[in-house]
Amino acid sequence: MLRCCAFLAALILVGFATFEAHADRRVAFVIGNSQYRNIPALKNPDTDAKDVSKTFRLAGFDVFVAKDVTKLQFEEQFRNYLAAADGADLAVVYYSGHGFQIGGVNFLIPVDASLKQAADIEVQAIKLDDMLEQLRSKSKIQIIILDACRNNPFPRKDYWLRDQLITASGTGLAEVKSSQNALIAFATGPDAIAYDGTGNASPFSSAFSRRALAPNQEIRAVMAAVRRDVVAATKGKQVPW
């Protein structure tokens, strides 16, 4: 796992450094969902999206930003992003907001989701695997960064998935197996919680935005600094993976 994490960390910073000289096109889609309609709002995603999108722009990415999007808005803006990512050398998706796993399947939650009925999860939420599959068909290298590792905040805990009624008993997000050209970065480890912290931005996005563009820094040193910052800010409760 440590070897995989080191490679992921390296590839993320390659997107900011080495790709500066070699990539023809780099695109990023940054989503921040704060103002949920049927569950408590989150305080950080709006600032997370603002800070991270600025970081990507400074790194030379074409950046698409979506804030407080409904399911339909999420799908529409993701389609626009996919069109721009067609043939790109590096495509990145950064998501801050509610997200949780059901039966090992990860879902990102639009702001209008209610999830009152057992069949609602596949209708009202965004399946991470589907996003990744669509992104793979468009770009050479894909990276998804998730600051969304939380428990199910809805009163209902059991949902229909793969023709089975499954209880959302897992903590945080489930591990996602990466392919050769597609990697997933979590703000914290699988089955763990990402914390809000004490500021207006999450500990992970704050560290990521602060460290990612540091000049004249060796790649592993920069990402190690991000990891140290998050661990220190959360007193060891959150360790990026």
Side-chain angles (χ1 to χ4, degrees):
M1 181 181 294
L2 292 178
R3 184 178 304 170
C4 178
C5 293
F7 178 65
L8 172 58
L11 187 56
I12 291 174
L13 267 294
V14 164
F16 294 150
T18 307
F19 264 79
E20 187 70 36
H22 299 291
D24 294 324
R25 285 200 301 122
R26 290 156 291 152
V27 293
F29 185 37
V30 179
I31 310 107
N33 279 350
S34 298
Q35 300 302 317
Y36 285 88
R37 301 175 184 177
N38 300 295
I39 51 178
L42 296 173
K43 67 174 185 176
N44 295 330
D46 184 73
T47 303
D48 292 344
K50 179 181 178 180
D51 292 348
V52 171
S53 61
K54 180 180 179 180
T55 299
F56 282 123
R57 287 192 182 99
L58 290 173
F61 282 70
D62 293 328
V63 181
F64 294 73
V65 181
K67 293 185 179 181
D68 295 327
V69 284
T70 64
K71 173 74 179 305
L72 290 177
Q73 291 169 340
F74 197 119
E75 293 174 337
E76 179 182 6
Q77 295 193 44
F78 186 60
R79 285 195 299 270
N80 293 338
Y81 166 69
L82 287 175
D86 194 6
D89 294 271
L90 177 62
V92 180
V93 173
Y94 178 98
Y95 176 81
S96 179
H98 274 299
F100 57 90
Q101 63 170 300
I102 299 174
V105 178
N106 293 320
F107 291 91
L108 309 183
I109 310 301
V111 297
D112 61 336
S114 61
L115 302 186
K116 293 180 179 179
Q117 306 299 322
D120 283 348
I121 189 66
E122 292 191 301
V123 176
Q124 298 182 3
I126 304 293
K127 189 182 295 184
L128 178 61
D129 288 345
D130 291 346
M131 288 182 61
L132 181 56
E133 189 64 29
Q134 293 179 67
L135 202 55
R136 281 179 175 142
S137 69
K138 296 292 185 179
S139 57
K140 297 176 183 177
I141 296 175
Q142 309 85 38
I143 298 174
I144 296 182
I145 305 172
L146 299 170
D147 196 358
C149 309
R150 301 176 182 275
N151 287 333
N152 177 11
F154 294 90
R156 187 175 195 96
K157 302 302 178 185
D158 56 332
Y159 301 95
W160 284 105
L161 184 64
R162 298 186 297 253
D163 297 326
Q164 297 181 27
L165 190 62
I166 300 175
T167 299
S169 57
T171 300
L173 294 176
E175 180 178 351
V176 178
K177 292 184 179 180
S178 300
S179 68
Q180 182 178 356
N181 297 320
L183 296 171
I184 315 297
F186 292 90
T188 190
D191 305 315
I193 296 296
Y195 292 87
D196 289 330
T198 58
N200 292 324
S202 75
F204 179 81
S205 70
S206 296
F208 184 80
S209 298
R210 183 170 57 250
R211 300 287 189 176
L213 297 174
N216 302 318
Q217 293 290 314
E218 197 270 334
I219 287 173
R220 284 174 292 183
V222 172
M223 293 310 293
V226 172
R227 183 185 179 96
R228 288 195 302 270
D229 287 354
V230 174
V231 171
T234 61
K235 302 186 186 303
K237 296 178 181 178
Q238 180 175 330
V239 182
W241 176 88

